[in-house]
Amino acid sequence: FTPPPAVRVSTSLNIAPGETKASEKVVQAFADKPEEDPEFDALVKANFPGAINNRDLATRVVELLEEKGFSPSNTLLATSLCADELARVLEDEFVSIYGNNFNLGGLSGFPFAGNTGWGAMSAHVPDNGFCLTIHGPHVGITKDGLIGKVERSGIALVDNCCGSAIAASNYLKGITDGSANINPRIQQFTDFQQGAVQELI
């Protein structure tokens, strides 16, 4: 008995079914969003030259990828962004364009899903389709221009952002100036991701 050759099962998931073009979905995604505050926009660009807002980012990405054949029905969205709820804004905007995302990320935006997660994600890409991966850290900026801090809705405290990256930076500074207790905690399960962020940085 000779078994038949293995055949790959179709992964055409119709992740975001329908014929609506991604460029049309960008317009829909931002239709009800308020316009950017020009003062705050100028503040961000003064501290981060070349920065663009989410609307412009999504528009540029979609225009470029449509030229290459990416569409909502043949593209799997994969994201590796920080666990912080503020990172969900960008993620949700791209989800509204390309459909549900495969989440690879963890603290500071590192892809903690690892080789297993990347392997699983790649197996979910539609047949003859594409994967759009959005990856990156984030940093807060207050309305007064304080970098590394952010005002959160419903919280009086002006909070660190990204708290994980700042903690890792402080750990690294402590190693440099000799004040830190160097104790790699990458094996400590209860804080594995932060331990890994500190060792990776």
Side-chain angles (χ1 to χ4, degrees):
F1 172 75
T2 305
V7 177
R8 183 178 178 201
V9 177
S10 173
T11 57
S12 183
L13 303 177
N14 291 322
I15 298 163
E19 297 300 320
T20 307
K21 292 176 62 177
S23 52
E24 294 169 1
K25 286 180 172 283
V26 171
V27 174
Q28 294 169 3
F30 290 94
D32 297 326
K33 301 250 178 177
E35 289 298 317
E36 298 292 327
D37 177 345
E39 261 185 58
F40 187 71
D41 195 48
L43 183 64
V44 170
K45 289 176 179 174
N47 286 280
F48 300 97
I52 59 174
N53 60 44
N54 288 13
R55 185 192 307 259
D56 290 344
L57 174 64
T59 301
R60 292 185 193 184
V61 167
V62 165
E63 284 176 354
L64 178 65
L65 295 185
E66 274 190 342
E67 291 176 5
K68 298 180 180 297
F70 287 61
S71 71
S73 61
N74 72 4
T75 302
L76 173 67
L77 174 66
T79 57
S80 186
L81 302 168
C82 187
D84 192 319
E85 72 275 10
L86 297 178
R88 302 290 72 77
V89 176
L90 177 65
E91 188 173 76
D92 289 347
E93 287 162 353
F94 273 90
V95 164
S96 70
I97 298 165
Y98 288 104
N100 290 336
N101 62 303
F102 191 109
N103 183 17
L104 298 160
L107 293 181
S108 291
F110 280 98
F112 281 107
N115 291 340
T116 300
W118 281 94
M121 178 273 291
S122 64
H124 297 181
V125 176
D127 291 339
N128 303 312
F130 305 94
C131 177
L132 167 59
T133 303
I134 298 177
H135 161 69
H138 67 293
V139 62
I141 179 170
T142 67
K143 61 185 178 184
D144 298 324
L146 187 60
I147 306 297
K149 298 281 187 181
V150 69
E151 299 99 341
R152 296 180 187 270
S153 179
I155 302 174
L157 175 70
V158 177
D159 196 16
N160 285 344
C161 182
C162 169
S164 170
I166 289 170
S169 177
N170 289 338
Y171 174 72
L172 182 60
K173 182 181 177 190
I175 292 173
T176 304
D177 66 22
S179 64
N181 175 19
I182 302 175
N183 179 22
R185 294 183 299 160
I186 198 165
Q187 300 298 330
Q188 185 176 322
F189 180 77
T190 55
D191 205 13
F192 172 77
Q193 287 194 13
Q194 184 59 27
V197 170
Q198 290 181 176
E199 297 309 313
L200 288 165
I201 288 180

